[in-house]
Amino acid sequence: MKTLLKNGKVVNVFTDSLEFTNVLLEDDRIIGVGTYCDEDADEVVDLGGRYLCPGFIDGHIHIESTMLTPAELARACVSHGTTSIVADPHEITNVCGTLGIEYMLEASEGIPMNVYMMLPSCVPATPLDEAGAVLKAEDLKPFYQHPRVLGLGEMMNYTGVIHKDPQVLEKIKDARSEGHLVNGHAPLLTGKMLDQYIGAGITDDHECTDVKEAMERIRKGQRVMIRQGTAARNLEALLPLFEEPWSRRCLLVTDDRHPADILEEGHIDHIIRMAVSAGKSVFTGIRMATIQAAEYFGLKAVGAVAPGYTADLLVLEDLDRVKVRDVYRAGKQVVSQGKIISFEEPMVRPDVQKAVRNSFYVDELTAGEFHINPEEDSCRVIRLIKNQLLTDEWITELDFGRNNGVDIERDILKLAVIERHLHTGHKGIGFINGVGLQKGAIASSVSHDSHNLIVIGTNEPDMALAANRIREIGGGNVVVSEGRILAEMSLPVAGLMSEQSARELAKQNLAVRKAVQELGAREGIEPFMNMAFLSLPVIPSLKMTTRGLVDVEKQCFVSLFVQR
């Protein structure tokens, strides 16, 4: 079938320019770009001077962190112009092992968005963590033969790379021997240690939080993924990368983004809009989100409006505002006037469905299990950094005779992480600063990357209530206060995702956010997204796991108590 898109302003990602011309499609390919493309076609679409550009590619995303299944994520993102994503399913594999990879591959088959996969490299993230599975190199190897698998996902265990851990190096070797990429994850790493990390074959990083850090990586040959998600918002700090020579080595990614934000603000289109509003070139933003991502990941004939390229195309009403009107994926229209066209749901095998729906193995909790027996007055407190996944260590004196150390006036709340996969009964308990709750408690089964049960609260009874409610509903987010559940969001798929529509889940997402704000959460803090990273022991500097506090730089457990 031939389709003629005529009278459009084509965005040329090779020259950063516009050309008023026609584009001829045959089935899933572009076969001509020029005013001479006026032959008879099965369908003729007059663009009326609207803009035509390649579909956007999110170069690094965790589908699970959107809390949507792949099909529902497609419904939310494609209307914003995202026609391809490169997903790392290490969240669900930390819960379900290789069945999690199978679920993601099957649940993303045939949807109107290309879903490519990077195999999870760190399950668990480090040996200090407790996940629902342990994936070794031999467990991953068979998946490299899948046509949508592009490489090895973010290598968070940078200490394992630098110290040449045999299992870590074997995973990297396997990916590279297949001709695949290895994603990076090495926040704040610099100098000699960064050289060793890159030298092992790791070619990108999405954890840069300042421009100096990013420029060092580009100078040393890496690609930098400029991230703007729900919790980690690095775009503003990295805006200088939109200039030459840096821009040619950059991609745009969301990493972790909640459904309410996608529906309200957008996806990759939102990042480009933000950059343009800050004075950067829209051509540069589009180039980062299309051809540069495609070429980096080796997606042949993807990412441009040019002969021979796949017809993943966007029709824009406005270029600088990146206002998407219509979307074509592989030559087939999937969005019309901003509305996605219906599609068939993918089929997932029953055994895989069962595996991802049974993920909670933890006993009912009592308030007393959140009590801390003081050994010293001085304690290590995890301190949040606004808009970052990084945390600080704060050593301060606590009054354990008053609310067991919780000090609402100083914004010091209690934090607990409880193992939920293997019924070990392990739990780490400590303190957190920067959340701002004045009363109540919040709990979630989304806690990167092992996704154990995590709770923050002002008092022990509310913490127990919130944790037990998560257990009852099979995962999700819960807000409680004074013995009453105020809001909840159910995530029964591995305790990470819902099969509800993006719009319905976004309503619940906003409801739990509103409930947390009413409990006094600090303005500008998205507590559930920030809370989700408090147990990830690969992002500096202090984190809480099921077995206690971890000093991330030293990769060792440290005591909650400090002798003065």
Side-chain angles (χ1 to χ4, degrees), residues 214-284:
M215 287 177 175
E216 181 183 7
R217 280 155 173 71
I218 291 173
R219 283 196 300 269
K220 291 182 175 180
Q222 282 194 319
R223 281 354 187 255
V224 167
M225 297 177 172
I226 300 174
R227 172 178 59 187
Q228 185 73 8
T230 291
R233 305 172 190 178
N234 307 131
L235 177 64
E236 184 177 358
L238 300 180
L239 279 171
L241 299 183
F242 279 74
E243 305 299 332
E244 296 296 344
W246 316 105
S247 70
R248 298 280 173 178
R249 302 288 292 181
C250 295
L251 288 64
L252 301 181
V253 306
T254 60
D255 196 3
D256 302 286
R257 191 154 174 80
H258 279 176
D261 296 327
I262 295 172
L263 293 183
E264 182 179 344
E265 297 175 338
H267 196 236
I268 296 296
D269 58 328
H270 173 61
I271 305 178
I272 300 171
R273 270 193 299 276
M274 289 183 67
V276 172
S277 67
K280 301 305 178 184
S281 165
V282 68
F283 294 107
T284 301

Side-chain angles (χ1 to χ4, degrees), residues 69-373:
T69 61
E72 291 303 329
L73 181 62
R75 287 188 174 94
C77 289
V78 173
S79 60
H80 287 283
T82 302
T83 54
S84 299
I85 63 173
V86 182
D88 182 342
H90 75 210
E91 316 297 354
I92 195 169
T93 50
N94 267 280
V95 178
C96 305
T98 55
L99 283 172
I101 303 175
E102 292 182 39
Y103 172 82
M104 283 301 196
L105 288 169
E106 292 180 21
S108 61
E109 188 69 47
I111 64 176
M113 181 173 69
N114 305 301
V115 179
Y116 301 101
M117 296 283 176
M118 302 294 284
L119 298 180
S121 65
C122 302
V123 180
T126 79
L128 302 176
D129 219 350
E130 285 189 293
V134 176
L135 293 190
K136 297 183 177 180
E138 55 263 34
D139 300 315
L140 300 176
K141 209 164 184 177
F143 290 99
Y144 283 119
Q145 306 312 310
H146 195 284
R148 289 193 282 121
V149 169
L150 303 181
L152 187 65
E154 54 184 306
M155 179 49 74
M156 297 179 290
N157 188 2
Y158 55 83
T159 57
V161 176
I162 293 166
H163 294 109
K164 299 184 178 180
D165 180 288
Q167 266 288 328
V168 170
L169 295 185
E170 186 178 356
K171 290 176 183 177
I172 295 172
K173 179 184 175 183
D174 285 348
R176 288 170 61 80
S177 67
E178 296 284 348
H180 288 316
L181 298 171
V182 181
N183 286 155
H185 174 119
L188 305 183
L189 206 63
T190 187
K192 182 180 179 180
M193 288 194 295
L194 178 61
D195 292 352
Q196 292 172 317
Y197 184 73
I198 295 172
I202 297 166
T203 51
D204 65 63
D205 205 310
H206 62 276
E207 289 291 336
C208 296
T209 55
D210 69 63
V211 73
K212 181 181 177 182
E213 182 183 14
M215 287 177 175
E216 181 183 7
R217 280 155 173 71
I218 291 173
R219 283 196 300 269
K220 291 182 175 180
Q222 282 194 319
R223 281 354 187 255
V224 167
M225 297 177 172
I226 300 174
R227 172 178 59 187
Q228 185 73 8
T230 291
R233 305 172 190 178
N234 307 131
L235 177 64
E236 184 177 358
L238 300 180
L239 279 171
L241 299 183
F242 279 74
E243 305 299 332
E244 296 296 344
W246 316 105
S247 70
R248 298 280 173 178
R249 302 288 292 181
C250 295
L251 288 64
L252 301 181
V253 306
T254 60
D255 196 3
D256 302 286
R257 191 154 174 80
H258 279 176
D261 296 327
I262 295 172
L263 293 183
E264 182 179 344
E265 297 175 338
H267 196 236
I268 296 296
D269 58 328
H270 173 61
I271 305 178
I272 300 171
R273 270 193 299 276
M274 289 183 67
V276 172
S277 67
K280 301 305 178 184
S281 165
V282 68
F283 294 107
T284 301
I286 290 174
R287 182 162 33 82
M288 288 178 178
T290 57
I291 191 66
Q292 289 178 198
E295 289 181 345
Y296 174 57
F297 284 104
L299 303 177
K300 300 195 181 300
V302 174
V305 185
Y309 276 71
T310 301
D312 290 346
L313 302 170
L314 313 180
V315 178
L316 307 179
E317 293 277 13
D318 184 287
L319 185 60
D320 287 341
R321 290 167 55 210
V322 201
K323 187 177 180 182
V324 178
R325 184 180 192 272
D326 303 321
V327 178
Y328 293 82
R329 188 251 185 174
K332 180 180 179 182
Q333 188 170 9
V334 293
V335 172
S336 176
Q337 298 186 49
K339 304 294 184 183
I340 191 162
I341 296 167
S342 62
F343 60 91
E344 290 186 13
E345 294 291 329
M347 297 294 294
V348 178
R349 298 194 327 264
D351 61 320
V352 177
Q353 283 278 21
K354 182 179 179 181
V356 300
R357 286 185 167 275
N358 294 276
S359 64
F360 261 82
Y361 300 92
V362 59
D363 294 332
E364 186 172 353
L365 295 152
T366 64
E369 291 178 80
F370 294 93
H371 189 79
I372 295 173
N373 294 318

